[in-house]
Amino acid sequence: MRVTELKITEKRPNVAVGIPMLEFIPRSAFYPFLFVAQYLTPRDRIMPIHRSADPATTRNQIIKDGRERPDDSRVLFLFDSDMQPPNNIVDAFARYNLPFVSGYCTHKSYPYMPIPAMQVGTTKIHGETIYEYRAITSWEVNSGVRQCDAVGAAAICVRRDVLEQMKPPYFKFEGGGEDLYFCRKVKAVKTDDWPGGAALLRFDEVES
């Protein structure tokens, strides 16, 4: 579903930037961060870096830190240390002021591959809910903001009011992986400014 009535705010909210670091690639995010930092303002802040061989662990710790440290950052932006986000990705995401938005990460470091937008169905086997994810292949390149059921978490922007309604763990390797687990938790959150709860959206067109 294409989202047609989104308004871009003239002044984006303050952003807290977190970079989950894997132990075996601790320096890979240095240059991508320098490019992203060009678009940060004095009101934004950088979250403490946590390193672990498990991406879910580092993401959970960054979110925990963000919730425990009171400040005026309304949005948490996370990008993985194995990708190269466009320079203006923070502005592009935060100005939409969406509950949760993700970008299709085409510049992932080998051997990692980007996760496309997905639709999800469920079935029960012996009383256990099984999630069936299907990639959306009908969207054209640079199709703008679209609503879907699940996205990759290599570059995401999440509003603070959404995170405050979620219980840890935020990421967990379950039901298809930690990215899809997080998407299911976000989708269950209710917000006042978005019909049907917190929508999962992706921003395919992020100019570099």
Side-chain angles (χ1 to χ4, degrees), residues 13-17 43-45 66 70-76 160:
N14 298 345
V15 177
V17 177
R43 303 185 309 274
D44 301 323
R45 68 185 180 92
D71 59 27
D72 58 355
S73 298
R74 191 181 180 194
V75 173
L76 176 64
R160 189 184 184 103

Side-chain angles (χ1 to χ4, degrees), residues 104-207:
Y104 185 52
C105 305
T106 56
H107 297 290
K108 295 278 285 182
S109 299
Y110 181 83
Y112 303 101
M113 298 296 291
I115 299 175
M118 297 185 184
Q119 294 174 326
V120 62
T122 59
T123 185
K124 283 192 175 292
I125 299 179
H126 302 300
E128 181 181 356
T129 299
I130 305 298
Y131 297 94
E132 300 174 338
Y133 289 91
R134 298 179 297 277
I136 300 174
T137 60
S138 59
W139 292 356
E140 297 179 359
V141 177
N142 295 333
S143 56
V145 181
R146 299 245 188 164
Q147 184 175 354
C148 58
D149 293 322
V151 290
I156 59 174
C157 221
V158 191
R159 279 204 330 233
R160 189 184 184 103
D161 61 318
V162 173
L163 294 173
E164 288 175 346
Q165 295 186 58
M166 298 169 63
K167 295 182 179 180
Y170 311 99
F171 288 88
K172 182 179 180 181
F173 195 83
E174 179 180 293
E178 61 266 20
D179 292 17
L180 305 184
Y181 178 88
F182 181 76
C183 288
R184 291 195 297 274
K185 297 201 71 165
V186 172
K187 194 172 183 181
V189 172
K190 303 299 180 183
T191 61
D192 294 332
D193 61 345
W194 194 262
L200 301 180
L201 302 119
R202 66 178 287 134
F203 188 66
D204 289 301
E205 185 176 13
V206 182
E207 297 179 357

Side-chain angles (χ1 to χ4, degrees), residues 19-23 25-29 49-53 58 81:
I19 309 173
M21 300 287 286
L22 300 183
E23 290 179 339
I25 46 175
R27 300 180 182 179
S28 60
I49 291 177
H50 296 278
R51 294 190 180 121
S52 171
T58 55
S81 58

